[in-house]
């Protein structure tokens, strides 16, 4: 059987490394290019000592040529850097999975939130935004571009979607309070991500104003054609990986905790990667570490008529590269959990 | 000048140790007894290697005798274990500061939330619940018992109080999402507080159902004679010390972020330990570590008309032993910041 | 093809969980029993929330019956608890891999260091102590018992063995200074392994007196029939997983760093899991986290004629359960890296 | 009483911040200048949010003027940047304490190890290198320049000095294996000090080749006029503060562990900050965190005739700014522990 030829644009960041380490050990995948703008020719292992056994060197940033020799192209790049790649992927009839944020918003919102005119708005139209458990049916044989969801949005949409679809909560009165490990801030050198500054530290940032807010509102809204308003507050935690989201919703009618739990269980009953916690149990980021799993919990507070949802994912796996591989598998008709079947690393 | 004679009931827990380490180096304090039920006679330093130079041994658990030779008694004990101590403190005309939770609720609520009948309800009446920046005027020369506030309640009431007093928020629609370091769970041996289980872990617990909820509702309500309803969700963080609270309130009228910031600044303008963050800045637990300071931030989200308050304290200092010392200083007419004047430990 | 039937005695500890999580996703393995003395009948997932999807319950501690239905039995138990299991494994003609310490020393040393008379000394004789890269040839079709090496000894013997075999160092003048993550202390409840006590902490323990010392001296000695003397000092680190060993040896003759590096490279040139660092590079525990890899580095200090060796492994993988699976694979003639082929988790 | 006027060159690094936070709360100190090359005019608190209440702005880098208005000048700068400051300090008859490394080695060694010609070698002659417990007698009323010892050298010389003075170990056969928190690498932006790269990581660096090696050899040698040879291997730990050193020496004659412990106790019997651990107890970095204390332990290994010394300090306190304040106190005839009397922060 011929191997699938894969390239990774942005292989030296944290999501790129997670992608590589999972694809490299698959017998059905061939990694054919790791294009780098800054250091073509450099040995890949010199960029991260964990890449034991990696013999690749970073390749030239030659977009057309790279895509020509690939079946699937992954992009893990800052926003605004994938336009040429998307253009060539389409021209050459290949597949592209963008782990970045260039195809998650419509063109107008993109300009508003990223301060940048989108150069190929038609690609946004054709892109499939895909959390597999919610959107995998949208992928067809013609799909050539996947907009891989953001880490926070994955952790928030998975628990919320069934409640929105069921029409049981006020969709414009949602608060999402998320807690993320430091790897979510990327591998760039910033003072706040230094060990000495972030150990023993918790802080909020960008409250009400984060770019993942319009992403969630757009795609949750499309589930059922309703307007969604989310007050979203991200926080940085003293840990490397993991996102925990606590989501406060107002119930339209009286419900019981059990009814909501049943609704979540029913929705995800065939989903390997989604685990609904039993009564009294809460998701723990530690319990999904290094895996593609998502744990979801629920509490109903009678006193305030609020439904509280909890979720835990690994931001670099289900929140990025793991989900990207899941999407690739679907796109290519491969077993959906291939390469991401491992159980969480514990302790 | 004669020294103040102090005893600590519960000296081997985390709050007891923090108390000791701050009182020990004061030239105006004499630590006269460290009563222990389990290990009287044991060297104090054998219970924590950080107690360098401590020559004390744990003393017999003799309540009357201990109080007789003390001017001030600190109790850092599990709930229900201070009744006899309070009784003798009053009889003998001494002062008592309870860092635990026996005098924070009224007798009825106490029974409901702690599952225990309160044995000296009259002491609750006479106790002064005191976050100094909010309640110090209640302390009089007759005050003999201070109910030192809980760690979460301190971090939540300090930012909320000025808004409640000003009457600008809906007081029954408040959500408090708090994140605490592991030391908040105490020094007892539990699987969840093992390093291997809590490193790289974030989880919620006791959502809507934590004993600190009625404490906050009671004391915030008394500020202005209004009913308070708080949906409170505590979380455990992979760090040792620190609490960060994110509080969501609904504004009664249109306001600006600046107005709220000004209101907070005005309220706390003479308070050394309270720091209001400037626009765009957020409290960080790391920035108050090991100190009695509290940082408070605010964001107003026009889209949802929500005021978001942020606060950071060290749970063992401003959230427990530091505040207890602050209260002792007030009670005895000593300079209020004595023994807790240090700046945060950084990094 | 028929699946291999496997049981795990001691499935609820950290090594048991690591074993389970790796075996569970293999299509050629069937986990048939998880015997538990304390809680037979309890759901396995209730013992660790990370066991997402585990449907097993802990089974009765019935040794004979368990082994009868198994092909391979893993034991991850405190010392002295495997004797009956070994006896039945042999009687029933099955295979056993002991991740504990019951078959690593000879009977006399065992009694001396563990304070316990060994009940089946003949099993020690028949057991194969096996770090695959050093001893895999000792495994024959008759081998029924593998003594899986300790975590510290694995990290120390891998770098040292080639130098001892080459006869270039003084074998009775070796110092090994090892640094281990807290998971090495197990999952039992001890004050020292509490998050609050171990975060920001480094300490030595059991210097010169650890049970892993005779294990290393015995098995390194057998490599070339020489006496070995190691001064071994283990340290606890504020991290969950990983062992880093720094080993100081005296060179018999003048050598260069390059010669030693070449010797290490030559020895391990066909070994997938062993990586010799290039000049100027040092092993990092982070770079082998969650994997079966071992990184080895070397520095020669001309001034003191000392060769310094460095190694990094994950104590729960190459130092325990990963190596146990590697040994099982060899024992059964399966591809040696099956189930442990993943690259390190980074970051 | 007039206050002591103090300036800090290099106030925005970790040692500068530790210095500031301790001096700021002293009633006998006035901080008169915080000169900055890069950002004069910037508010000091903007460089670290932990500087609650700091109203200072960074001042102009005007060396002469700064020193003219100061009594004592602290320098916490990269090597080679203090020469002009030392020159003016001497001219103007003020005192200077260099927390950096410009006056620790003789001029020749300085050039060799720092690759830089020393511009005022006569200042090295006049400087007093001072670990107070070992060298405080060298400080006289004429002393104008203190070379504050390095963090590793402090942790290694304190346990070793009594043994060298007593003449009981081979002074050219010493191995020091040190483990440091990340703050020792400074506040500069480096990939290795990112949270994501250093959490769960241990690695050695600069083995046999670190600039602190000649510092220790020089000053230990001067204690008794003997040649010292130390093989020194530093390691980076996943923690913020703290250094733990494990030191292996060869005993000249048969000794007992007790004899060495007694020798250490005798040497330091009047030293508040030095604590000798009792038999079976080991120093823990957590037990000295945030304090000026140093814990020292000892084990004698009969089998190899090695004496193993252990020490723990906080690298930013006893290893830098705390010791600098201790030195300033001695220099000015103030109570030696003033401003550094606090007990360790625990947990």
């Amino acid at each position: 059987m011929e191997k699938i030829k894969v390239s990774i644009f942005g292989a030296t960041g944290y999501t790129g490394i997670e992608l590589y380490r999972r694809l490299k050990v698959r017998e059905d995948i061939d990694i054919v290019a790791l294009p780098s703008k800054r250091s073509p020719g450099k040995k890949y292992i010199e960029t991260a000592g964990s890449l034991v056994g990696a013999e690749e060197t970073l390749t030239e940033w030659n977009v057309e040529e790279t895509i020509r020799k690939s079946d699937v192209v992954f992009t893990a790049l800052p926003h605004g850097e994938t336009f040429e790649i998307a253009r060539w992927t389409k021209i050459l009839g290949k597949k592209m999975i963008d782990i970045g944020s260039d195809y998650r918003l419509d063109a107008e919102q993109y300009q508003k939130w990223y301060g940048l005119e989108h150069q190929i708005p038609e690609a946004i139209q054709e892109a499939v935004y895909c959390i597999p458990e919610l959107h995998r049916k949208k992928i067809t044989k013609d799909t050539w571009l996947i907009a891989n969801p953001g880490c926070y949005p994955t952790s928030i949409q998975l628990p919320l979607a069934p409640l929105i679809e069921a029409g049981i909560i006020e969709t414009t009165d949602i608060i999402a309070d998320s807690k993320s490990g430091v790897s979510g801030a990327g591998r760039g050198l910033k003072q706040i991500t230094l060990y000495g500054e972030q150990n023993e530290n918790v802080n909020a940032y960008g409250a009400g104003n984060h770019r993942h807010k319009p992403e969630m509102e757009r795609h949750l809204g499309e589930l059922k054609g309703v307007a969604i308003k989310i007050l979203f507050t991200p926080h940085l935690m003293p840990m490397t990986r993991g996102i925990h989201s606590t989501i406060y919703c107002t119930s339209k009618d009286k419900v019981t905790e059990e009814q909501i739990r049943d609704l979540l269980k029913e929705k995800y009953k065939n989903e390997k990667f989604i685990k609904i916690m039993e009564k009294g149990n809460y998701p723990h980021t530690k319990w999904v570490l290094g895996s593609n799993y998502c744990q979801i919990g629920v509490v109903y507070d009678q006193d305030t008529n609020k439904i509280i949802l909890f979720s835990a994912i690994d931001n670099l796996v289900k929140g990025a590269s793991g989900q990207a591989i899941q999407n690739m598998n679907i796109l290519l008709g491969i077993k959906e959990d291939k390469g991401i079947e491992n159980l969480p690393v514990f302790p």
Side-chain angles (χ1 to χ4, degrees), chain A:
Chain A
M1 198 196 77
E2 214 168 333
K3 291 192 179 189
I4 303 151
K5 292 186 285 295
V6 165
S7 318
I8 304 172
F9 285 85
T12 61
Y14 289 147
T15 49
I17 290 170
E18 180 71 19
L19 209 48
Y20 174 89
R21 81 173 194 92
R22 289 183 176 271
L23 295 176
K24 184 62 181 178
V25 293
R26 282 177 61 164
E27 77 296 340
D28 62 340
I29 301 273
D30 224 0
I31 297 174
V32 298
L34 303 171
S36 165
K37 268 185 180 156
R38 260 190 294 177
S39 346
K42 192 178 187 177
K43 286 191 176 178
Y44 188 36
I45 195 174
E46 287 173 13
T47 72
S50 71
L51 297 163
V52 284
E55 312 236 308
E56 290 88 347
T57 52
L58 298 177
T59 55
E60 291 291 335
W61 189 270
N62 188 322
V63 172
E64 183 190 341
E65 190 192 311
T66 299
I67 298 174
R68 209 173 272 283
K69 63 181 172 194
S70 311
D71 299 315
V72 180
V73 166
F74 288 93
T75 45
L77 298 167
H79 67 269
E81 299 198 6
T82 69
F83 300 140
E84 191 196 353
I85 299 169
R87 212 172 272 127
W88 276 107
T89 301
K90 184 158 190 204
I91 291 171
L92 296 171
K94 305 300 178 77
K95 307 288 189 190
M96 169 172 165
I97 297 173
D98 180 36
I99 305 182
S101 49
D102 279 348
Y103 309 94
R104 295 172 183 166
L105 303 185
D106 64 36
E108 193 186 338
Q109 289 278 308
Y110 185 83
Q111 174 134 20
K112 177 181 166 194
W113 286 87
Y114 289 89
L116 193 74
E117 194 180 353
H118 203 287
Q119 291 177 24
I120 39 172
E122 68 280 10
I124 303 179
Q125 305 298 326
E126 296 170 20
V128 174
Y129 178 89
C130 188
I131 299 176
E133 291 79 4
L134 300 179
H135 314 106
R136 71 164 75 78
K137 285 184 184 163
K138 296 195 294 174
I139 295 180
T140 69
K141 65 177 181 22
D142 297 330
T143 304
W144 64 274
L145 174 58
I146 302 270
N148 207 58
C151 49
Y152 287 124
T154 297
S155 80
I156 292 169
Q157 291 178 83
L158 278 167
L160 263 180
L163 278 66
I164 288 172
E165 289 175 338
I168 64 168
I169 58 166
E170 303 291 351
T171 60
T172 56
D173 183 21
I174 298 170
I175 292 172
D177 188 289
S178 294
K179 296 94 179 161
S180 173
V182 181
S183 64
R187 209 181 181 194
L189 300 176
K190 302 166 202 159
Q191 197 173 62
I192 189 60
T193 56
L194 290 182
Y195 191 93
E197 320 266 326
Q198 200 53 43
N199 194 30
E200 290 284 299
N201 185 50
V202 172
N203 68 282
Y205 67 98
N209 201 26
H210 192 282
R211 288 158 172 174
H212 282 170
K213 171 192 157 86
E215 177 184 339
M216 297 184 272
E217 291 180 343
R218 179 186 185 208
H219 296 287
L220 281 173
E222 286 181 358
L223 284 178
K224 214 184 139 87
V226 292
I228 305 283
K229 210 182 266 183
I230 296 182
L231 175 51
F232 171 54
T233 312
H235 299 73
L236 225 47
M237 297 289 113
M239 62 185 194
T240 305
R241 288 169 171 240
I243 286 183
H244 181 285
S245 289
T246 308
I247 306 157
Y248 301 91
C249 328
T250 305
S251 183
K252 278 186 183 160
D253 299 296
K254 287 259 154 183
V255 287
T256 65
E257 195 175 296
E258 233 169 350
Q259 288 172 323
I260 305 157
R261 184 170 289 110
D262 286 346
L263 189 144
L264 289 163
K265 283 188 175 175
E266 178 61 23
K267 168 75 178 179
Y268 294 125
K269 66 183 168 194
N270 296 319
E271 296 297 344
K272 169 178 181 163
F273 292 122
I274 314 295
K275 296 295 168 189
I276 313 301
M277 310 301 284
E278 295 301 331
K279 187 170 177 56
N281 291 309
Y282 292 86
H284 287 53
T285 58
K286 181 82 178 187
W287 293 350
V288 296
L289 185 72
S291 85
N292 202 52
Y293 284 88
C294 172
Q295 290 186 337
I296 296 176
V298 62
V299 163
Y300 176 65
D301 184 63
Q302 212 163 356
D303 206 25
T304 57
N305 194 33
K306 294 278 181 192
I307 298 165
I308 321 173
L309 298 165
F310 307 90
S311 72
I313 61 169
D314 183 316
N315 59 308
L316 294 178
V317 190
K318 188 61 180 165
S321 306
Q323 188 151 269
I325 291 173
Q326 194 178 356
N327 277 325
M328 179 195 75
N329 291 343
I330 297 171
L331 200 59
L332 303 183
I334 300 169
K335 197 156 161 286
E336 192 173 317
D337 68 350
K338 191 168 174 66
I340 46 176
E341 59 280 84
N342 71 289
L343 293 187
V345 178
F346 182 84

